[in-house]
Amino acid sequence: QSVLTQPPSASATPGQRVTISCSGTSSSIGRNTVNWFQQLPGTAPKLLIFKNNQRPSGVPDRFSGSKSGTSASLAISGLQSEDEADYYCAAWDDSLKGWVFGGGTKLTVL
Amino acid sequence: QVTLRESGPALVKPTQTLTLTCTFSGFSLTTSGMCVSWIRQPPGKALEWVARVDWDGDKYYNASLKARLTISKDTSKYQVVLTMTNMDPEDTATYYCARNIIAPSDGDFVGYFDYWGPGTRVTVSS
């Protein structure tokens, strides 16, 4: 069982906006920044959002992140078929002295 | 250009020790703020952080695996080595190494994983 809680699945049609939530604790998301990763089938995870809401170079501005208290969210607007993937949140946990990940959310583009 | 690549045995027997090597380029583990982590992913399951080694020699381990793990770095070879003892079929997973970049001068001792290797699949079976 993952330390951070994500919905196992999400779906939307092309062009729509979808949000994925990530719930943590006071020692993880409550104290540290959140990162989001996209994992396409059979490939390594790719950094999508770092430090709650920063996008690495090359990541479209359709992807955005936010954090409030012990929860964070990833939003994808203008959904495209190539966005179909697994999405993971991650944060450092001060109590565990290590990184914790969410269980992942499988996004389906209908 | 930052790259990382994992290497090691594809198959190990239960109770054996696994040794994985992460060979990287494009950065040095002697540079302040540079860290390398190992993360694993069992088939069809979520990512799980395993261990981290920092440029200054600090090491961090997943508490549930700590007794079985050792992480080390060879800065001259641009390598990070992970050993895991007493392997079990539940350790079957794809093992990734990733650069974890932090900014200690800004008070950021956590950072984020910006580059990942392609992963190496390890199966534990007799």
Side-chain angles (χ1 to χ4, degrees), chain A residues 2 32-33 35 37 39 42-47 50-51 86 88 90-92 94 96-104, chain B residues 37 39 41 45-49 52 60-63 96 100 103 106 108-119:
Chain A
S2 302
N32 296 295
T33 58
N35 305 312
F37 302 91
Q39 187 176 34
T43 68
K46 168 192 168 186
L47 180 65
F50 66 100
K51 294 186 179 182
D86 293 327
Y88 292 91
W92 183 267
D94 285 349
L96 297 175
K97 291 185 172 55
W99 284 96
V100 290
F101 282 89
Chain B
S37 275
I39 299 115
Q41 185 173 35
K45 295 188 177 180
L47 299 167
E48 178 184 34
W49 174 78
R52 173 181 131 179
Y60 304 87
Y61 296 101
N62 182 314
Y96 299 98
N100 185 173
D106 295 337
D108 175 13
F109 296 92
V110 173
Y112 50 94
F113 304 114
D114 59 349
Y115 290 93
W116 294 63

Side-chain angles (χ1 to χ4, degrees), chain B residues 79-98:
Chain B
Q79 290 181 334
V80 170
V81 176
L82 178 77
T83 61
M84 183 180 295
T85 62
N86 195 25
M87 292 293 285
D88 182 271
E90 292 208 344
D91 296 313
T92 293
T94 296
Y95 286 75
Y96 299 98
C97 62

Side-chain angles (χ1 to χ4, degrees), chain B residues 53-72:
Chain B
V53 62
D54 295 359
W55 82 100
D56 60 0
D58 283 348
K59 301 172 184 179
Y60 304 87
Y61 296 101
N62 182 314
S64 65
L65 300 170
K66 185 175 183 177
R68 301 167 51 207
L69 296 174
T70 302
I71 191 170
S72 62

Side-chain angles (χ1 to χ4, degrees), chain B residues 1 11 14 17 20 35 83 110:
Chain B
Q1 181 190 2
L11 178 66
T17 294
L20 295 175
C35 318
T83 61
V110 173

